[in-house]
Amino acid sequence: RARLAAQRAMVDISLESVRDGALGGDAFIAVRVGETQKLSRLRNGQVYRFPQAGDRRIGKIELFRRIGQSHVDIDVEGSSVVKQLAVDCRDAGLGTVDLTVGVKPQIEAGKDGSSPPSRQSSRATALHAAKDYLSRHNLEVRLSEAMKAVLRSQPENPVDFIVERLRGGTSPLSPSGGGSPISPGGGKVILPPIEHKSLSKEPSVAALPGGTALAPAAAAAAPVRPQKLEPLFPQMPAPALAEPPPKAVAAAPGAPEQVPFELYYKANFRTIALPGFSRIYSRFSGWKPPRPSSSRSGGSRPAPRKAAKSEETVTTTASAPIAADSSGGEGSTAAPDSAADAPIWAPAGEVSDELTAASSAVFNDACMRARLPQGVYERLKDATVSGAATSEEDQRIIAEAIFNWARELGAVSFAHWFFPMRGGGGAPGGAIGALKMDTLIDLDWSSGEATKPFNAVLPFERLFVGETDGSSFPNGGLRATHTAAAFTTWDRSSPCFVSDNVLRIPCAFVTHLGAAIDDKTPLLRSTDAVNRQGLRLLRAINIGMDAKAIHPYLGWEQEFFVIKAEYYRARPDLVACGRTLIGKLPTRNQQGELNYFAPPPSTVNLLLENIRAAMLRIGVAMAVMHNEVAPGQHEMSPVYCQASFSCDNNAMFMEVATKEAEKLGLAVLFHEKPFAGINGSGKHNNWSLGTDTGLNFFYPGKADKARELFVTAIASLAYGLCQHNELVRCAVASAGNDHRLGAQEAPPAIISLYPGTGFESHVDSIIAGGPLLGYGAEKTSVDPGATAAMPANTGIEDRNRTAPFPFCGNRFEFRAVGSSQNCSFPIAICNTVMASGMAHISSLIEGGMSHRDAVAKVFTENRHIIFTGNGYSAEWPVEAQKRGLPNLNTTPLATATFNSEKAKALFSEMGIFSPEECDARAEVMYESYVTTLSIEVQTLINMVESGILPACMLDLMNYEALPALGGERQEVYSGIKTEIDKLSEMMSALPSGLAEQASYLCDTVKPQMLAVRRLVDKAEGLMNKDLYPFPTYETILYSHHSEAPEQESREKTFLETEVAEYFRAVGRAGEADATYAQYVEAMTEEVNALVAAAEDALLPACTDEPPVELRATYERLYEETQALCALMGDRPSELVAEAWYLCDALKPRMVAVRDLVEEAMDAAPRHGFGSMLGAVCC
């Protein structure tokens, strides 16, 4: 990838990715642009900077492998010299290669008329002279030893210490209380970071005096310079880093201390301080999200920051020595040679967190406007409103723009993302979308070859439309194996986004004949119905005549439970059904209201923050997260947005929550009633309608026209809810939601409208002949009666949490929606009944009735749908029956009304469903209910027979000696066997026909399941707790609340929590899914650094006879290092297993090697042994 510098005529070519180990350790890359060529070892992230080469547009890249090496003495004077070299090749087949090399000194012309030496050659000459001077006086070695001694001893007066060392004297080691320049917390530097050596496949060894195996260099007759030694041990492949470890930068006078991320991380998270990690920290901090701008742009992928004239820093209170940075700070005009030379800093004066990365992975309107030609953008926006097809030419342009954008975000695949009708009544995964991932490639159709090459591209026709099998999804008979074709088509009102390197394209899903077999298509059709009938109503009442479109809006409130994954897996009922089929309430459940809005447990809080970060990145405005009423129950919700996009966001939320929980050892439960006896979970849908000009149908406003529209809109809603009450109940009907509706924790199954007590009085006034205006919609304030607290503004109406459809100031809240549902279907029904009400009022007005009289007539005929009392009371079902409101308290009762003639007429009139689609969807609803109940019954039978009854038998055996102590155990345990046998017999008598099966399971089998449960739960209270075969409610609900995280080792803490914590600190919480991979990379880097340090520590033993007292140290160091390399070679291939293997098995061996390296480094100078050690290590 080439990036053009804006102010200098330079071009950077960076090696973005190479598969680790694909070319071995001795691979090199040569990059040529124009007349300039650069050569280096092949590694990820390497950057080469070239001057622009005129009109050239092609750079040449070549790959090489080193087959051997030798050295030639270039210290010649006078005439040229010819030298003969023998190069030993690593490939045994090549043997030895003889080379003849000529070395000839050259004198550059000066003032004799020829061109003067260039600045570069003068600099090189000076550098050579400086190096020659240092070499003649052996200063490099002596300074290196002195610096190593300073770092090891940390004397109080380091200058005097160094002077004493250079004079050849000995200085007493005075302990210092100062911290290490790398370790802010204090303590001695173990080893400095050492550059990677070449990867060696096979370690070649010879004999060290005394019998120890060492490198061939030790056996050579002539002394060998340490820097020319080959590695003793094979190094493990690890990705090279794009940036070096950051340096500390001096703070301005009087400014707070400025610390780069390496020091910040070590000071704040106190992880292990072995050498390899300094480079890993810089890797973690190398990526920064884009700075927030005035417009929310999803434009481009954030690129690694480059050095600026003023380094950006992060302010921290960590106490760490700050060193001046001389590599170019304020006012520096010298650009780094490459991007790799640029230090990475945290932003100064700005927060770097998930908010700055928000909407960076969604192709939203701002991104679309920036990347598409103006005409294409406008036509696409118009088509979203009008429904016009996008031309092939525009499709090509749009596809190319989305492809380029997605590739910048790392996408390698794309997928049409759609939502089949497979809601499983709370079963795991029911509402999560379907997708098939296709690689972003296509054949080069212009090629004349039989086997055509392929290119990276997003084919335009596959962006907008796709084809798949429709018969394998629930379809109610609309598809069959021999008529299976179905098509996905992009919902242009919901933007594409990138998640997990996949470009997701939200789609509708229809059959070969255009029938809807998903949840999104009805929503899109109902949006059209609301738009048509809403504009018609506005014209009829002469309000909002400039509006061109009406949009439904949705803001959802997602409730869910979080438990430990190990307990989830240990409960067959949770795994198979999403809810517990047996389980006794703990003595403390939700009494005392201790859970609601309490601080979430630390592990759950981390999960919620990770979810929020991931959702923000794909453009979802997550706004709220808190503890709910039940223990282990939580809620998250976003700011409202256009309904189709919002429904997609909710489906993605459930998927993201599940994935993020897995990474933390947790499980998320979306079932409406996972635990009996405590509150279940809902998904309140805050729904409203608004015009493109800003009119809200459900906000009274201050102007008369806005208030007339408000009254008219509620009349339309009252008509729809009353005349099509059964359909609204069907919208939330499922096996899971049946456990929740009417259970004193959620609205009853009776659908009613709560507009507020004040508006109810206004309705009665209109019915009595009063005007539409007159509703007192002004907000009031309440005084807390304390001088320190200011008065609070109240809502227009009080809140009624017992109503299924309450008014909330500027919207209505559909509170009966189940937590596991896809929001699309409930909102589609809301849109449909609202459209029917608006159409009815428009017809009355168009027929000659006045606006006031039409609204009054609708309120009069539908007054009984309005109820402002307590929906939880026992009196309400009686009152509702008197009013003629249906009480469809089970899914089979509700489903029977969905394909009635009245319902089919409504759906046909509004353009939502054909009669065949109504019948098909009713069949799917029956089938889902039957499947859910059948799975639950079989799971319950299996749990009782394979777990509960054997435990009962073992428990009874404890009382054989004293049966009287057994109490009622014999009776209860025997009763379980009797009742479970009855349940099995009932299932064997299941009738035929889906409707009949659903009714039988609901009315006959389900009560028997409760009879079994009552006895099993009683047995749980009697049984020895060690015999109960499943995790109990108390264990499941509270284990992650009260248990401290495992502290077996600091590395496990790092692996489980601190990497994710760090990602949040630097605004990359959405990338916490890379925790294990990052840990493996970090440990591999550390092992390689440690092995390199061990090689350097062993160098003195390769050149001289080691003292007797050091021989054992060198032998143990060599043996331990060999064992460490062997362990690395045996690590498992599966990622998580590899991470834990490195943590548990490899870490002790690494500590042993580290200690021996320290011992060798400490002992060598005392014995005057290994004068080159300091030069190599420092």
Side-chain angles (χ1 to χ4, degrees), residues 736-1066:
N737 217 16
D738 282 358
H739 295 284
R740 172 176 164 267
L741 297 183
Q744 305 303 304
E745 62 183 72
I750 305 167
I751 301 299
S752 63
L753 177 65
Y754 173 84
T757 55
F759 191 82
E760 182 182 34
S761 300
H762 186 59
V763 168
D764 292 335
S765 173
I766 293 173
I767 293 174
L772 298 182
L773 297 176
Y775 172 55
E778 291 78 12
K779 294 182 178 180
T780 60
S781 63
V782 57
D783 189 349
T787 55
M790 63 184 291
N793 291 330
T794 66
I796 298 172
E797 296 282 356
D798 205 345
R799 297 184 65 182
N800 188 339
R801 294 172 57 85
T802 70
F805 233 97
F807 175 62
C808 297
N810 58 2
R811 65 196 184 278
F812 278 87
E813 183 181 20
F814 194 6
R815 294 178 58 85
V817 180
S819 57
S820 70
Q821 283 190 262
N822 188 311
C823 299
S824 296
F825 189 55
I827 295 302
I829 298 300
C830 291
N831 288 343
T832 301
V833 300
M834 181 68 183
S836 72
M838 291 190 294
H840 181 67
I841 294 179
S842 297
S843 298
L844 293 176
I845 297 173
E846 290 164 357
M849 192 175 290
S850 70
H851 181 190
R852 195 220 75 85
D853 291 347
V855 171
K857 175 179 174 62
V858 169
F859 274 136
T860 302
E861 294 173 351
N862 301 280
R863 174 64 177 83
H864 55 290
I865 194 66
I866 297 175
F867 176 66
T868 59
N870 182 5
Y872 289 176
S873 67
E875 295 78 17
W876 170 230
V878 178
E879 172 64 22
Q881 186 177 10
K882 293 179 181 178
R883 297 186 180 199
L885 298 177
N887 186 4
L888 306 174
N889 58 359
T890 68
T891 293
L893 287 176
T895 303
T897 67
F898 186 79
N899 57 345
S900 66
E901 293 303 317
K902 180 180 178 182
K904 289 181 179 179
L906 170 68
F907 286 133
S908 295
E909 180 185 358
M910 294 295 115
I912 312 301
F913 294 126
S914 67
E916 293 76 18
E917 288 174 311
C918 287
D919 292 335
R921 196 160 292 261
E923 180 178 326
V924 170
M925 294 169 68
Y926 278 128
E927 184 179 17
S928 176
Y929 187 87
V930 170
T931 301
T932 300
L933 266 293
S934 298
I935 293 173
E936 289 185 354
V937 170
Q938 191 58 54
T939 302
L940 178 59
I941 293 173
N942 292 344
M943 292 178 69
V944 170
E945 292 185 342
S946 64
I948 298 298
L949 290 179
C952 291
M953 180 191 69
L954 293 174
D955 191 57
L956 278 177
M957 293 172 62
N958 294 329
Y959 299 94
E960 288 179 349
L962 292 171
L965 292 181
E968 58 180 338
R969 286 177 173 79
Q970 178 73 47
E971 178 184 353
V972 172
Y973 296 170
S974 298
I976 294 175
K977 174 60 176 172
T978 300
E979 297 301 329
I980 202 68
D981 288 344
K982 288 182 181 178
L983 182 60
S984 298
E985 293 172 2
M986 288 179 180
M987 283 302 292
S988 63
L990 191 68
S992 60
L994 286 174
E996 292 77 9
Q997 289 178 350
S999 297
Y1000 177 81
L1001 288 168
C1002 179
D1003 301 333
T1004 304
V1005 175
K1006 195 172 174 182
Q1008 183 60 27
M1009 292 176 67
L1010 293 177
V1012 173
R1013 176 171 193 150
R1014 281 192 291 267
L1015 289 173
V1016 172
D1017 290 354
K1018 188 172 184 179
E1020 181 185 343
L1022 299 172
M1023 189 180 297
N1024 184 328
K1025 65 178 182 179
D1026 295 329
L1027 295 176
Y1028 192 74
F1030 308 110
T1032 64
Y1033 270 24
E1034 185 169 9
T1035 299
I1036 295 172
L1037 292 172
Y1038 290 108
S1039 60
H1040 60 295
H1041 286 228
S1042 55
E1043 288 184 3
E1046 291 184 4
Q1047 297 293 338
E1048 294 180 11
S1049 69
R1050 296 178 70 187
E1051 289 71 40
K1052 287 186 178 181
T1053 303
F1054 172 82
L1055 184 60
E1056 292 179 343
T1057 61
E1058 291 190 357
V1059 166
E1061 186 76 17
Y1062 173 71
F1063 274 122
R1064 286 208 318 277
V1066 298

Side-chain angles (χ1 to χ4, degrees), residues 557-718:
E557 304 171 34
Q558 180 69 62
E559 296 175 344
F560 53 92
F561 281 81
V562 177
I563 65 174
K564 276 192 172 182
E566 61 179 300
Y567 300 138
Y568 170 80
R569 292 189 292 266
R571 292 282 310 212
D573 45 5
L574 285 178
V575 172
C577 312
R579 75 179 184 101
T580 55
L581 303 175
I582 55 177
K584 175 179 172 291
L585 271 178
T587 53
R588 175 197 164 192
N589 42 82
Q590 61 188 45
Q591 313 98 313
E593 291 78 40
L594 300 178
N595 303 297
Y596 196 47
F597 280 30
S602 58
T603 53
V604 176
N605 193 63
L606 177 60
L607 169 63
L608 302 185
E609 291 181 351
N610 289 346
I611 295 171
R612 179 181 64 191
M615 296 301 293
L616 285 170
R617 188 167 182 266
I618 60 174
V620 184
M622 299 304 300
V624 176
M625 58 186 191
H626 63 83
N627 263 20
E628 261 295 338
V629 172
Q633 189 183 34
H634 312 277
E635 178 181 304
M636 295 185 74
S637 57
V639 179
Y640 76 94
C641 64
Q642 185 264 346
S644 178
F645 183 41
S646 186
C647 291
D648 293 348
N649 293 341
N650 180 251
M652 192 63 192
F653 174 91
M654 291 190 279
E655 180 179 336
V656 167
T658 300
K659 289 180 179 179
E660 293 296 331
E662 290 172 356
K663 298 167 192 172
L664 298 175
L666 302 172
V668 176
L669 306 179
F670 289 109
H671 195 285
E672 286 76 11
K673 196 73 171 179
F675 303 101
I678 60 177
N679 275 17
S681 298
K683 179 155 38 194
H684 306 157
N685 279 203
N686 295 273
W687 167 74
S688 63
L689 301 178
T691 68
D692 58 343
T693 58
L695 281 176
N696 185 343
F697 278 52
F698 297 142
Y699 181 66
K702 298 180 179 180
D704 289 349
K705 290 292 186 180
R707 296 192 176 189
E708 289 179 353
L709 175 61
F710 172 71
V711 173
T712 307
I714 293 185
S716 301
L717 180 59

Side-chain angles (χ1 to χ4, degrees), residues 237-305:
L241 299 172
E243 289 85 14
K247 306 171 184 177
V249 62
E257 214 169 38
Q258 307 291 310
V259 180
F261 261 106
E262 177 190 1
L263 305 184
Y264 166 80
Y265 186 81
K266 287 187 176 182
N268 286 276
F269 297 97
R270 302 178 302 281
T271 51
I272 45 183
L274 286 172
F277 273 96
S278 62
R279 286 176 285 181
I280 298 304
Y281 301 144
S282 68
R283 179 187 180 94
F284 285 164
S285 62
W287 180 92
K288 292 293 179 293
R291 300 190 180 197
S293 59
S294 57
S295 62
R296 285 184 66 193
S297 173
S300 60
R301 185 188 192 189
R305 289 185 185 272

Side-chain angles (χ1 to χ4, degrees), residues 388-410:
T390 300
S391 68
E392 182 174 316
E393 181 181 356
D394 282 1
Q395 288 184 37
R396 292 179 185 275
I397 296 172
I398 295 167
E400 182 178 2
I402 293 179
F403 169 77
N404 292 332
W405 167 81
R407 289 293 294 135
E408 291 171 12
L409 290 170

Side-chain angles (χ1 to χ4, degrees), residues 503-526:
L503 169 65
R504 296 206 186 189
I505 305 163
C507 288
F509 187 41
V510 296
T511 70
H512 185 73
L513 302 176
I517 51 175
D518 66 335
D519 287 331
K520 178 182 276 286
T521 302
L523 174 63
L524 298 180
R525 293 173 179 175
S526 70

